[in-house]
């Protein structure tokens, strides 16, 4: 099997796994208990907090452990909105191509009377700091813009956007789930007030994540309960998962340069090869791009059929399209960067990690053109295009 869907989830690293074991076999006490056995778990939790903080130039006091990226996004946005509303500020700025954990939370706030303004991301999938500066108003409570996009891999000018927000005294949150452990992040240098990340996107366990909030920002609880996480998230801490995540993040940050060099080389080889397919187009920015992201649209095919046929060949990939989740609409991200509906339906995302090999890239480069050609061969739509009954949308 060739696994090329690392933007969906990653395999847990050996280091993460090994860090988790003693938390289950030995120090499995409740971190809130007063006896030494429980305090051992508490210690492991706080060591993990410091490790995570160190990866982002943050103070451990700003780190809150959550159940994942989605919860962190929800809590960041709802907290900033609640704070803003108390000061009469109910305008929120975001973009059209955020993850649904952000977009659906914003939708909920809109129903509660907030005004949500979604900025255009242009064809390369990048928002400019000038756009943000222009959109900020006196009643803006929050700017929330993702660090790197999960479908098309484009990386935003986060430090510059952060600087604009800082200057205008508006809170800035970034969903850094795709960036954490893959790109260098420094919450202070990049003027980030709040940040979300998720363990399973950098070879840590699933079901655990982090919300970073600059000390002093009052958080709103999504989960009421005990005094865990300094009273901001009730529930007995998932110490094994938290410790595993911290180990994975530490490992990813320590090896970042090496991994980026390897993965981006594989990525570029894959992009160069797939580009040779006629009537294909790369999605996202060519330069400002996640090291492991390859995203294409192929005219005249359905992404779902492509995925199923690749699966037959042992290749795990993803389509940007939401069809698999029961909707026939193409991906909101591909529509956001201006791909026509028909083209957006023919999307393929291959997301690599340092565990992929050059031989696997060669195999993908044999499989994809073959499958695309086969699907076009059986497509009535494609036949119409060939005989001039329909127009081609992408150049040869
Ligand atoms: C995966 C992902 C999330 C959700 O994280 P979970 O830990 O799975 O809840 C949020 N945002 C982005 C950009 C993601 O890629």
């Amino acid at each position: 099997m060739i696994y090329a869907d690392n933007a969906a989830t990653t395999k847990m690293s050996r280091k993460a796994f090994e860090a988790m074991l003693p938390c289950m076999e030995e120090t499995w006490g409740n971190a809130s208990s007063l006896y030494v056995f429980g305090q051992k778990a508490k210690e492991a939790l706080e060591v993990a907090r410091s490790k995570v903080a160190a990866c982002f130039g943050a103070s451990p006091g700003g780190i809150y452990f959550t159940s994942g990226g989605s919860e962190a996004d929800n809590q960041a946005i709802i907290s900033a909105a609640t704070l803003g509303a108390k000061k009469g500020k109910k305008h929120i700025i975001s973009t059209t191509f955020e993850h649904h954990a952000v977009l659906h939370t914003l939708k909920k706030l809109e129903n509660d009377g907030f005004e949500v303004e979604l900025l255009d991301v242009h064809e390369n999938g990048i928002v400019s700091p000038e756009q943000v500066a222009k959109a900020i108003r006196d009643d803006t409570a929050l700017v929330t813009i993702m660090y790197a996009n999960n479908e098309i891999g484009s990386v935003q000018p986060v430090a510059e956007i952060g600087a604009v927000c800082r200057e205008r005294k508006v809170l800035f949150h970034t969903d850094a789930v795709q960036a954490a452990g893959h790109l260098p992040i420094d919450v202070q240098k990049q003027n980030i007030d709040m940040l979300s990340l998720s363990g399973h996107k950098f070879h840590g366990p699933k079901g655990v994540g982090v919300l970073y909030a600059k000390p002093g920002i009052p958080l709103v609880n999504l989960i009421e309960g005990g005094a865990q996480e300094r009273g901001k998230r009730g529930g007995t801490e998932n110490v094994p998962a938290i410790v595993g995540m911290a180990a994975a993040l530490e490992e990813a940050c320590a090896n970042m340069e090496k991994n980026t060099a390897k993965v981006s080389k594989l990525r570029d080889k894959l992009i160069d090869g797939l580009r040779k397919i006629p009537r294909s187009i790369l999605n996202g920015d060519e330069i400002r791009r996640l090291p492991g992201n390859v995203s294409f649209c192929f005219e005249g095919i359905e992404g779902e059929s492509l995925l199923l046929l690749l699966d037959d060949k042992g290749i795990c990939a993803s389509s940007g399209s939401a069809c698999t989740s029961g909707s026939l609409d193409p991906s909101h991200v591909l529509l956001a960067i201006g791909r026509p509906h028909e083209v957006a339906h023919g999307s393929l995302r291959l997301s690599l990690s340092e565990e992929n090999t050059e031989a696997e890239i060669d195999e993908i480069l044999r499989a994809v053109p073959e499958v695309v050609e086969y699907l076009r061969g059986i497509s009535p739509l494609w036949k119409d295009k060939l005989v001039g009954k329909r127009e081609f949308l992408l150049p040869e």
Side-chain angles (χ1 to χ4, degrees), residues 7 67-71 73 99 101 146 148 150 175 177-178 198 200-201:
S67 68
S70 299
E71 185 187 329
D73 282 341
H99 191 273
M146 70 199 316
N150 47 306
D175 173 338
V177 174
Q178 289 291 330
S198 170
H200 73 106
K201 304 285 175 80

